[in-house]
Amino acid sequence: MFAISVGEGAELRPIEPWHAEELLAHVERAREYAGPWVPFTVKVKDLESARAHLQHFAERQAADTGRLYGIWLDGTLVGGVLFRIFDTAVESCEVGVWLEPSAAGRGLITNASRVIIDWAVDQRGMHRIEWLVSSRNERSKGVAARLGFVLDGVLRESFPWQGVRHDMEVWSVLAPEWREARAAREAAEGAEAAGAAGAQA
Ligand SMILES: CC(C)(COP(=O)(O)OP(=O)(O)OC[C@H]1O[C@@H](n2cnc3c(N)ncnc32)[C@H](O)[C@@H]1OP(=O)(O)O)[C@@H](O)C(=O)NCCC(=O)NCCS
């Protein structure tokens, strides 16, 4: 299957209904870590629910209203990124992310998010990309900030989950901001590479 590198030994690939067994095994490793923030990692609890989750996204992909991608690290499914909302009429989409704990702290989500947001902005004309996150979820907010999202506001106590009414923060980045940040990052990386080459010469 085609794949995009998102780090050493790490690949972003489509995840489809035939991956149900892999998804279930992954979710069992991810549940305790991701469950407080990502409901599907609790709701997927057997092969049938794993297949149904993947089938749901396959249908949304076919309708161009949502998408789901897995991240494999050294051949094991360890997390993913998705478009929970993909609305071409208003040119707005919402990104979601999750990992199992062994894959955290390597930049996989930052890199994978960049791949799908580049696609949404460059290929699909998305103008606004959203990131919804509980105000308690510091790691996810850290990724959003690293990617250049800014906080729009807070939907107070809008998400009841596992006995907690979460304040949901809405973060966003707009297409011109995304392009500008990407150009600045590429220029910085280019300068760093030129500096390293100069030091070796
Ligand atoms: C939210 C979540 C996906 C973030 O995972 P993460 O590992 O922090 O994010 P990334 O994969 O982008 O990695 C970033 C970390 O790797 C480090 N890193 C290492 N190499 C890196 C690289 N090349 N590029 C970027 N970051 C790198 C960063 O410094 C950062 O670590 P730090 O936060 O300690 O500074 C993860 O904590 C998770 O799955 N949580 C449970 C589910 C969840 O909350 N989902 C989001 C719901 S809104």
Side-chain angles (χ1 to χ4, degrees), residues 33 37 97 99 104-110 137 139-140 143 146:
Y33 178 66
W37 320 110
V97 303
L99 285 175
R106 301 164 184 251
L108 301 183
I109 290 295
T110 300
N137 192 342
R139 288 208 72 131
S140 178
V143 179
R146 186 180 300 115

Side-chain angles (χ1 to χ4, degrees), residues 81 95 97 107 109-117 129 131 140-150 171-173 177-178 181-182 185:
V81 291
V95 170
V97 303
I109 290 295
T110 300
N111 293 342
S113 300
R114 283 190 179 131
V115 170
I116 66 166
I117 297 171
I129 298 90
W131 189 285
S140 178
K141 289 196 279 182
V143 179
R146 186 180 300 115
L147 287 167
F149 284 71
V150 293
W171 293 59
S172 69
V173 64
E177 298 165 349
W178 182 257
R182 180 173 57 193
R185 191 178 70 249

Side-chain angles (χ1 to χ4, degrees), residues 46-77:
D46 52 26
L47 258 188
E48 194 185 346
S49 49
R51 201 171 290 115
H53 183 71
L54 294 172
Q55 184 65 31
H56 171 70
F57 268 95
E59 286 164 16
R60 294 189 57 202
Q61 168 151 339
D64 204 21
T65 57
R67 279 162 202 272
L68 183 65
Y69 301 96
I71 297 172
W72 276 259
L73 181 61
D74 299 326
T76 300
L77 178 63

Side-chain angles (χ1 to χ4, degrees), residues 145-166:
R146 186 180 300 115
L147 287 167
F149 284 71
V150 293
L151 178 62
D152 286 345
V154 182
L155 304 172
R156 293 181 305 145
E157 299 191 2
S158 61
F159 177 46
W161 176 241
Q162 294 183 325
V164 178
R165 287 191 181 278
H166 291 267

